[in-house]
């Protein structure tokens, strides 16, 4: 467990219950802040550390837009949630500073960006896809990644299990929503 104390981190969440859970289990080397983020209040992340090892984004909404704004920090690894319900389209939800996926669409499937969109954005900054989680939700980008996003894409195992739907059915449910082609 010596490794736990040898790094620092910053966890930001707008949910007070999740913040309480984080404070109960994370070491003191992790700074924990309860805050709802938007594109106008991200700058404190830039100055939190002189060099960033891992940038992890999972906010169920504006993920693409936050990553776009923070990519110039040049982290060693980017971990970001992608939306497998968007299949292989290069799309993102429209930016909304008060984004709440449960209010945008009853299914909760309208959020974030596709793996293709995130790979395109990261590629423009010298990052490539290095891995996709087995459950089909998180993508990992590095300067040395070499995976093809189309071949690496995976459906969300949990989403399919909970809803008894396929990714194609999920797409059919949200395809009428507003998207940004990227």
């Amino acid at each position: 467990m010596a490794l736990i104390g040898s790094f620092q981190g910053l966890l930001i969440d707008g949910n007070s219950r999740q913040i309480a859970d984080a404070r109960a289990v994370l070491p003191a080397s992790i700074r924990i802040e309860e805050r709802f983020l938007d594109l106008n209040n991200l700058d404190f992340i830039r100055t939190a550390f002189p060099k960033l090892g891992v940038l992890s984004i999972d906010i169920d909404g504006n993920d693409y837009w936050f990553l776009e704004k923070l990519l110039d920090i040049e982290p060693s690894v980017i971990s970001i949630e992608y939306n497998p319900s968007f299949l292989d389209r290069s799309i993102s939800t429209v930016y909304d500073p008060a984004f709440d996926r449960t209010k945008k669409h009853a299914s909760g499937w309208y959020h974030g960006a596709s793996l293709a969109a995130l790979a395109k954005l990261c590629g423009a900054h010298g990052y490539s896809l290095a891995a996709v989680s087995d459950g089909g939700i998180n993508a990992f980008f590095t300067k040395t990644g070499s995976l093809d996003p189309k071949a690496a894409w995976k459906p969300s195992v949990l989403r399919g299990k909970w809803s008894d739907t396929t990714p194609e059915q999920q797409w059919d449910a949200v395809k009428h929503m507003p998207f940004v082609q990227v």
Side-chain angles (χ1 to χ4, degrees), residues 56-118:
S56 178
I57 300 174
D58 179 352
I59 54 174
D60 295 340
N62 292 317
D63 306 63
Y64 180 92
W65 309 109
F66 284 18
L67 179 59
E68 182 180 53
K69 184 153 184 177
L70 293 170
L71 265 168
D72 63 348
I73 295 174
E74 297 187 1
S76 298
V77 176
I78 297 166
S79 169
I80 187 163
E81 179 182 34
Y82 72 94
N83 189 332
S85 300
F86 296 168
L87 306 172
D88 64 353
R89 292 162 179 81
S90 186
I91 56 175
S92 174
T93 56
V94 176
Y95 176 75
D96 177 352
F99 198 101
D100 182 332
R101 74 187 245 177
T102 60
K103 292 178 181 170
K104 291 286 185 181
H105 193 273
S107 68
W109 299 330
Y110 177 75
H111 66 90
S114 67
L115 181 59
L118 295 169

Side-chain angles (χ1 to χ4, degrees), residues 119 123 126-132 140-152:
Y127 292 89
S128 297
L129 185 62
V132 173
F140 303 88
F141 295 89
T142 64
K143 296 282 187 176
T144 59
S146 61
L147 296 178
D148 171 24
K150 197 168 195 153

Side-chain angles (χ1 to χ4, degrees), residues 6 22 31 38 67 78 154:
S6 66
R31 183 173 130 202
D38 63 43
L67 179 59
I78 297 166
K154 295 176 186 175

